[in-house]
Amino acid sequence: MQIAGKKINDILVVSLEGELDHHTAGEVREYIDNLLEDPTIRNLIIDMKKLKFMDSSGLGVLLGRYKIISRRGGELGVVGINTQIDRIFVVSGLYKIIKAYDDLKQALNDTGGY
Amino acid sequence: MIQGGIDMDKINEMRLRFLSKSSNESFARVTIAAFASQMDPTLGEISDIKTAISEAVTNAIIHGYEDKTGYVEVYAAIYPNKFVVEVSDEGVGIDDIEKARQPLYTSKPELERSGMGFTVMETFMDELKVISAINQGTKVRMVKYIRSSINKIGRSE
């Protein structure tokens, strides 16, 4: 799993490359939570363009980060999810709380990053 | 059709046995998906199978063996129009299967589990059966009907 993070204003953008399952969930969770210790971060965007696979362990990671971000009054968005991950989102009802975008620019615009 | 104990409809089968280590989750789903690909499934069908196997194997590792290490076995069989996969462990077993299958139910909320594993298996596959006994283990049997495979796979060789 390759993870990269950058801060744009009050938005944390995290890019994931690889597969998000139970094996990689801990690493992703720790990485994001470390960066979220910065109290000036209000919103989180996870770029999943290069994420090939996600199962319900990934749902757990997203829901946990959603809780942290919503406590700060912010939003969680995801970018570029593939059809396999889309199926997981639909089944779990994740679209009700997490916004999905086709590209990062759109996500940043909507979250007030530009 | 079953003749003399041999399932005549079965075209191919395989068995995989590995340690309950999380690094084997991707190994299992990729291997089984590669085996299933000889049925010429659609990309959607193959990714459904992959996701369902990932859920079942993860359950075996996290819930079946908890902090211990044991063996997880995955059996897969190809029939003219369906793919059968069974994921078994010899772990602690499930006390209340009906409760375990409820969406959002998790016995390990502290691990940030979503409780959606069985729901995903149920939705992505056509049939799901869970057999479990306390301290003896759990077997999850799943069936996926592969529409595209009918008449495509030769019965010989």
Side-chain angles (χ1 to χ4, degrees), chain B residues 119-135:
Chain B
T119 306
V120 168
M121 289 181 240
E122 215 156 54
T123 313
F124 286 23
M125 302 297 270
D126 295 306
E127 289 171 26
L128 171 71
K129 198 161 126 191
V130 184
I131 305 155
S132 189
I134 293 295
N135 293 326

Side-chain angles (χ1 to χ4, degrees), chain A residues 41-57:
Chain A
I41 292 170
R42 213 168 147 251
N43 301 289
L44 174 63
I45 295 172
I46 303 180
D47 190 340
M48 298 190 165
K49 270 199 296 288
K50 291 181 176 169
L51 191 67
K52 292 189 200 83
F53 176 89
M54 187 183 104
D55 63 15
S56 76
S57 299

Side-chain angles (χ1 to χ4, degrees), chain A residues 19-24 29 33 53-57 59-61 63-65 83-84 87-88 91-92, chain B residues 22-23 25-26 29 47-48 50-51 54-55 58 61-62 111-114 116-117 119-120 123-124 144:
Chain A
E19 305 198 323
L20 179 51
D21 61 5
H22 161 242
H23 181 62
T24 55
R29 181 184 299 125
D33 286 359
F53 176 89
M54 187 183 104
D55 63 15
S56 76
S57 299
L59 290 177
V61 174
L63 287 168
R65 307 299 72 66
T83 51
Q84 185 268 330
R87 290 262 282 151
I88 291 272
V91 170
S92 61
Chain B
S22 64
S23 54
E25 290 156 6
S26 69
R29 63 177 180 259
S47 87
D48 285 355
K50 237 183 181 172
T51 315
S54 196
E55 300 295 350
T58 302
I61 292 171
I62 298 181
L111 292 185
E112 235 176 35
R113 308 296 311 160
S114 66
M116 291 299 286
T119 306
V120 168
T123 313
F124 286 23
K144 178 96 174 161

Side-chain angles (χ1 to χ4, degrees), chain B residues 43-76:
Chain B
L43 277 176
E45 286 165 340
I46 207 82
S47 87
D48 285 355
I49 290 170
K50 237 183 181 172
T51 315
I53 290 164
S54 196
E55 300 295 350
V57 169
T58 302
N59 274 353
I61 292 171
I62 298 181
H63 302 288
Y65 293 111
E66 298 183 310
D67 301 326
K68 296 181 200 75
T69 303
Y71 282 102
V72 178
E73 197 167 290
V74 184
Y75 164 84

